Amino acid sequence: MVLTSAGLPTTQSIRRAHELEALGNFTLLERPLRPETIQSAMRAALRARSRQYEMRARQEALLRANADLEQFAHSVSHDLREPIRSIAVYSELLTARYTSVLDSKGREFLGFINAGATRMDALIGDLLAYTQAASIHDQDVAPTDAGKSLESALANLAQAIRESSAGVQFADMPSVKIRDIHLQQLFQNLIGNAIKYRSERRLIVNVTAVREDGHWLFAIQDNGIGIRPEYKETIFGIFKRLHTNDRYSGTGMGLAICQRIVERYRGRIWVESEPGQGSTFFFTVQA
Ligand code: ADP
């Protein structure tokens, strides 16, 4: 708002004007202003204010649309699980009890139904995990001992580590502001991928954590098949995969879930890689 002093100001009116100026919404003008100047200043102020309102309304609409979509994905994945499970259960029962009365084509078709239902169940399960790693920002989380989360992830991967004869090396792990279950999921997905996408060489996975300004930078480095530079970003998308299911099984959701978890804590996740040499996945978590 503008306060003009028409004619000569008195001591009292100047004091009052200073008081109003101190409130923040007023500007004291020493000389009278022309009406056109005031008009154009007011128009500009109104335009700026209406832009602000528009932006706020758009932001709110976007948040609402996001929440709706999340809710939709959550209920769809939840509701779909039951019918898919029954397809899987009954096709397994058919295989177990009626294989002898089916010819080879019939057995082959049943095999396809089984494989389809199992894959669909995995996809839905991962979609559900994705919606559960909701994008709301978690603040003031109690610190977690990253060493414990890593231990739990490695225990869950014990069989895959044994079967691939992988060597997993790690140094001292810090305390970080993230829920244990989320950090465990991150380690499990990233080390699990290192195992899955290993090369002919013996797999060595290195897990490190380095303190940087206000956060810890975790790195999971492998000497596997690597990732071509043009896919460095797309691999974090939902259902994005670089290989067919016959070669490497998977749903293409692991990295999307990792990204969601990291962003929930206002961190970043990215990959650096040299095809044929290996990949290093980095993510940051608040200290
Ligand atoms: P999934 O493993 O189920 O395909 P992800 O989202 O975990 O899904 O990974 C997406 C894609 O990124 C994978 O299909 C794979 O091509 C690539 N990828 C992920 N991790 C690695 C890795 N450590 N080495 C090479 N490629 C990887």
Side-chain angles (χ1 to χ4, degrees):
M1 190 176 286
V2 181
L3 182 78
T4 59
S5 50
L8 282 177
T10 61
T11 325
Q12 206 182 9
S13 72
I14 288 180
R15 195 180 332 114
R16 178 79 187 122
H18 277 302
E19 278 169 14
L20 288 170
E21 193 179 32
L23 289 175
N25 280 335
F26 296 86
T27 307
L28 173 65
L29 300 168
E30 301 297 345
R31 269 172 287 128
L33 280 179
R34 288 185 312 145
E36 307 83 72
T37 315
I38 296 174
Q39 255 177 14
S40 93
M42 286 189 83
R43 262 194 232 111
L46 280 172
R47 268 200 303 275
R49 182 55 64 92
S50 88
R51 263 200 305 275
Q52 247 179 13
Y53 280 132
E54 249 172 55
M55 256 167 62
R56 198 176 307 157
R58 251 187 256 155
Q59 235 171 18
E60 277 167 12
L62 202 66
L63 281 178
R64 261 200 313 276
N66 256 348
D68 286 352
L69 207 63
E70 214 145 84
Q71 183 55 44
F72 172 73
H74 183 82
S75 21
V76 166
S77 37
H78 205 267
D79 294 350
L80 280 180
R81 280 215 114 164
E82 212 182 287
I84 287 162
R85 287 259 158 94
S86 41
I87 296 175
V89 166
Y90 282 103
S91 71
E92 269 164 31
L93 273 177
L94 270 177
T95 314
R97 291 201 198 157
Y98 298 95
T99 321
S100 54
V101 296
L102 290 172
D103 62 5
S104 67
K105 270 275 167 252
R107 282 196 289 275
E108 193 188 1
F109 293 164
L110 204 52
F112 289 150
I113 296 177
N114 243 325
T118 308
R119 177 149 180 76
M120 186 85 94
D121 190 46
L123 286 167
I124 298 286
D126 277 355
L127 193 60
L128 200 58
Y130 179 79
T131 61
Q132 277 161 355
S135 56
I136 47 151
H137 294 300
D138 253 333
Q139 275 155 346
D140 300 326
V141 187
T144 285
D145 175 355
K148 287 233 165 71
S149 317
L150 180 59
E151 245 173 53
S152 315
L154 292 177
N156 292 340
L157 292 168
Q159 195 182 345
I161 292 174
R162 233 187 350 263
E163 283 171 6
S164 60
S165 317
V168 183
Q169 305 167 342
F170 53 92
D172 278 351
M173 288 283 127
S175 263
V176 275
K177 286 197 187 137
I178 181 170
R179 284 177 211 283
D180 169 52
I181 183 72
H182 287 144
L183 190 54
Q184 196 182 308
Q185 255 178 306
L186 284 168
F187 284 138
Q188 204 167 314
N189 271 320
L190 298 175
I191 300 171
N193 275 351
I195 297 173
K196 188 157 50 164
Y197 301 106
R198 64 186 183 275
S199 67
E200 300 292 306
R201 291 180 291 268
R202 182 184 171 232
L203 173 67
I204 303 290
V205 186
N206 245 307
V207 185
T208 53
V210 179
R211 177 74 196 244
E212 292 189 335
D213 305 333
H215 63 250
W216 284 88
L217 173 68
F218 287 86
I220 287 88
Q221 181 194 35
D222 66 49
N223 57 348
I225 61 172
I227 298 160
R228 300 232 308 265
E230 62 268 37
Y231 298 120
K232 272 170 59 175
E233 263 134 49
T234 38
I235 52 169
F236 291 95
I238 300 177
F239 297 135
K240 285 286 185 306
R241 313 203 61 222
L242 305 182
H243 309 276
T244 58
N245 218 39
D246 329 327
R247 194 164 160 84
Y248 298 99
S249 68
T251 59
M253 287 297 287
L255 292 179
I257 294 173
C258 288
Q259 187 175 47
R260 211 151 203 238
I261 293 174
V262 170
E263 284 178 355
R264 176 178 175 143
Y265 295 93
R266 298 181 194 277
R268 271 194 340 115
I269 183 167
W270 70 99
V271 66
E272 280 169 19
S273 175
E274 211 175 305
Q277 298 302 310
S279 316
T280 307
F281 281 84
F282 296 94
F283 66 89
T284 59
V285 185
Q286 276 177 32

